[in-house]
Amino acid sequence: MRFDILTIFPEMFAPFLCYGMIKRARDKGLLTVYVHDLRVFTTDSHRSVDDVPYGGGPGMVMKIEPIHRAVTAICPEGRNKKRILLSPDGRKLNTELARCLASDDSLLLICGRYEGVDERVSLHLVDDEISIGDYILSGGEVPAMVLMEAIVRFIPGALGNRESLAEESFTGKWLEYPQYTRPAEFEGKKVPEVLLSGNHQEIKEWRHRQSLIRTAKRRPDLIDWALLTAKEIGWLAESGVTPHLKPSGKSI
Ligand code: SAM
């Protein structure tokens, strides 16, 4: 898979690309990343990428011309590359969206700065806008890195252990069960006995139960309460969580 990044701060990406899963995916030839400096696509002596907003107001707005020049150069006619603007107004990133984007061969990520980007970029130059959450950051670089990490995990072979992807929070229906490692006891705080038992069936059931209880307590919105089994409802009752029973059938 290929990523092109358009940014006024290309240096921010150098360390990000040199560690962990992203580095391994690049080393294995599964991922290629080209980082483009937007200022290279300016034509004035000040290399300006921003200007004052029409209608007044605080801050500066990123101009369309350098972005248009860059997009035209990076995405030549006929080349199939999806163009994504990182934007707090965009579709909110989640596992499904990341998994879906991982099936693209090539993505261009455009990082905004200042008060945002001339609206004509969103209207005419991009295929999609993606937000990483309902908060404002000062630029699209960190959101682009977040998006890239979320997508690359779904490239076959990018993760060291494919099983970990299957069990992680949000990839299944619920949050992941709690994890422990050595020592078995630290300052009187013990690892749950069942995990030391070696009984794989009991461990599996314990994890299933913990995953449900954790999700019910922290993210009840992820649970389809009507689909819980009697056993699962019993586990919740024992742990003091009241199921949010939704009315079944269609609303009129
Ligand atoms: N004035 C804009 C608004 O109120 O929506 C915020 C602009 S923000 C300071 C500058 C740039 O950071 C945006 O153009 C976008 O590229 C990026 N950005 C900030 N927060 C983001 C988020 N939650 N998701 C994705 N991109 C974000």
Side-chain angles (χ1 to χ4, degrees), residues 85-89 110-117 130-140 143:
L85 175 65
L86 279 309
S87 163
D89 304 347
I110 304 175
C111 307
R113 278 270 154 186
Y114 312 112
E115 281 306 310
V117 181
I130 293 180
S131 162
I132 61 159
D134 293 341
Y135 41 80
I136 300 291
L137 302 174
S138 40

Side-chain angles (χ1 to χ4, degrees), residues 24-42:
R24 282 198 309 275
R26 291 175 64 219
D27 290 348
K28 287 185 193 170
L30 300 170
L31 174 68
T32 325
V33 184
Y34 294 87
V35 185
H36 307 270
D37 184 348
L38 180 61
R39 292 193 194 278
V40 166
F41 299 93
T42 56

Side-chain angles (χ1 to χ4, degrees), residues 171-188:
T171 41
K173 46 185 177 170
W174 301 330
L175 300 179
E176 196 184 41
Y177 48 79
Q179 299 272 19
Y180 294 86
T181 186
R182 285 180 282 194
E185 182 170 344
F186 173 70
E187 294 185 349

